[in-house]
Amino acid sequence: MVVAVAAAALVGLLAYGVAKQGPSRSLDAAIEAGRHPPAPNTTRPLPVLDGLATRTATLAHWRGKVVVLNFWASWCDPCAAEAPLLERAQRLLAADGEGTVVGITYKDVSGDSLSEIKRYGLSYPNLRDADGSFAAGFGTDQLPETFVINRRLHVVAISRGQITKLSWLTAAISEAERT
Amino acid sequence: MRRAALLVIVALALVPAGAVAAPRQRTSMTAVLPYVMCVTCGIPLTAAQSPQADAERSYIQQLIDQGDTLPQVKRALVVQYGDAVLALPPASGFDLTVYVVPVVVVVALLALLGVLLPRWRRNMRRAEPASAAVAAPLSAEDSARLDADLARFE
């Protein structure tokens, strides 16, 4: 009896450990069902990537604005490829004051991230998710990934992979502005 | 002009040799790698082949080149990548199970042996008279029959 309970506990522990490894796709399922799920981790502070590492910011800081949340890293080639497109989106959003792109660096050395920001002349704010735990809330484990979030901090569109067309981004931003 | 050249020579003479030499390495890539995981692949960095793993190795080399010791390299890696970068996870949260479960399993197995071993020995002792009965000498009748059977094979 004791052996059976111990074996069941070990199997349960193993199952929990394995289940914990996989990325969550609950946001994707909600979007596919036509819903706008609340963005996770909105009050969790992340260090601002400014080379000083003294300030933090939360997603809730941008409540009332449309946020294009982009997870990226300096070692990710597709991230570099879509950076100019995100900068264009940032200029569009900043021009009418409706929102902003927010970059989240994922498991990246801050010095390398800062070099990439300089190289591509990115004008939008970037935060650091050093251990990837913030990204895990979004089910992010591959890069790049982008989440378009409305003014009430609900996710309206997801791109798991490189964004290749500005039209996808502008359509998602328009939807975020409407909702 | 001559005064400027003199000033340069004096300035160079005053610079300590250590200031221009590269810092001495206090650890090596082979010493660091066993302690480090590839944070995106979830496997030891020694075996990982990915752009992120390359970036990690490059950062480690940078730290080694600037003269960091092994503990300093490990601390810098945790600052950049979090605790998951270390091959041995921290003894907190769910990761605590890595340290607790093996101890609990060993203790449970020892306890199980402690209970089962005396019971097994008791059963063995109880079974001994039965086996002794089997080994008891044959009766005269059986002995005679056995002798007769054996005689047929001679």
Side-chain angles (χ1 to χ4, degrees):
Chain A
M1 179 66 182
V2 177
V3 177
V5 170
L10 277 175
V11 169
L13 196 64
L14 185 67
Y16 174 73
V18 170
K20 203 168 162 259
Q21 297 293 316
S24 164
R25 287 288 175 267
S26 56
L27 290 177
D28 307 60
I31 299 279
E32 274 174 31
R35 285 180 279 125
H36 292 158
N41 300 333
T42 51
T43 55
R44 187 172 158 182
L46 288 176
V48 176
L49 184 68
D50 55 3
L52 303 170
T54 52
R55 291 185 302 139
T56 60
T58 66
L59 260 189
H61 173 78
W62 288 284
R63 186 185 288 275
K65 290 192 178 260
V66 170
V67 174
V68 176
L69 192 71
N70 175 248
F71 290 94
W72 69 280
S74 63
W75 43 264
C76 157
D77 290 339
C79 302
E82 73 173 7
L85 198 143
L86 287 162
E87 179 57 26
R88 281 175 67 191
Q90 168 64 11
R91 287 182 188 170
L92 291 172
L93 283 165
D96 56 14
E98 286 290 331
T100 182
V101 176
V102 175
I104 308 280
T105 63
Y106 175 85
K107 297 181 179 180
D108 199 16
V109 176
S110 50
D112 295 349
S113 308
L114 285 165
S115 299
E116 289 292 291
I117 289 170
K118 199 172 171 188
R119 184 192 297 176
Y120 291 99
L122 305 181
S123 59
Y124 49 84
N126 279 276
L127 311 177
R128 284 193 75 225
D129 182 19
D131 61 2
S133 53
F134 179 86
F138 288 82
T140 296
D141 68 344
Q142 304 281 318
L143 294 183
E145 290 193 359
T146 303
F147 299 79
V148 181
I149 299 169
N150 69 13
R151 293 186 182 90
R152 294 180 299 122
L153 297 178
H154 285 229
V155 181
V156 300
I158 300 173
S159 166
R160 296 203 187 269
Q162 181 188 340
I163 301 169
T164 52
K165 289 179 181 164
L166 187 63
S167 57
W168 179 86
L169 208 45
T170 51
I173 289 169
S174 299
E175 192 182 345
E177 285 172 344
R178 279 197 307 272
T179 57
Chain B
M1 184 67 185
R2 279 177 60 194
R3 186 192 254 179
L6 195 66
L7 275 172
V8 169
I9 290 164
V10 169
L12 282 174
L14 288 174
V15 173
V20 286
R24 200 162 60 89
Q25 291 187 352
R26 293 190 177 91
T27 187
S28 66
M29 190 61 100
T30 45
V32 174
L33 283 183
Y35 298 97
V36 184
M37 297 289 285
C38 166
V39 283
T40 53
C41 348
I43 59 171
L45 191 58
T46 38
Q49 294 298 330
S50 72
Q52 199 278 334
D54 292 341
E56 246 183 273
R57 279 188 284 263
S58 153
Y59 181 58
I60 292 169
Q61 192 58 58
Q62 206 178 305
L63 295 170
I64 292 169
D65 290 345
Q66 74 187 28
D68 282 11
T69 60
L70 178 61
Q72 285 172 327
V73 170
K74 284 162 81 174
R75 271 198 299 277
L77 285 168
V78 169
V79 167
Q80 292 296 338
Y81 297 112
D83 288 326
V85 75
L86 297 180
L88 277 177
S92 61
F94 181 71
D95 291 335
L96 189 64
T97 53
V98 172
Y99 301 96
V100 172
V101 168
V103 175
V104 169
V105 167
V106 168
V107 169
L109 284 175
L110 286 175
L112 202 67
L113 278 177
V115 171
L116 292 182
L117 213 59
R119 196 180 292 177
W120 178 67
R121 290 177 70 180
R122 268 200 308 275
N123 289 343
M124 286 293 286
R125 262 189 235 117
R126 252 185 245 135
E128 269 169 16
S131 54
V134 171
L138 295 173
S139 65
E141 190 187 339
D142 286 341
S143 183
R145 200 165 66 228
L146 181 64
D147 287 344
D149 283 347
L150 289 173
R152 277 193 285 132
F153 293 101
E154 283 176 1

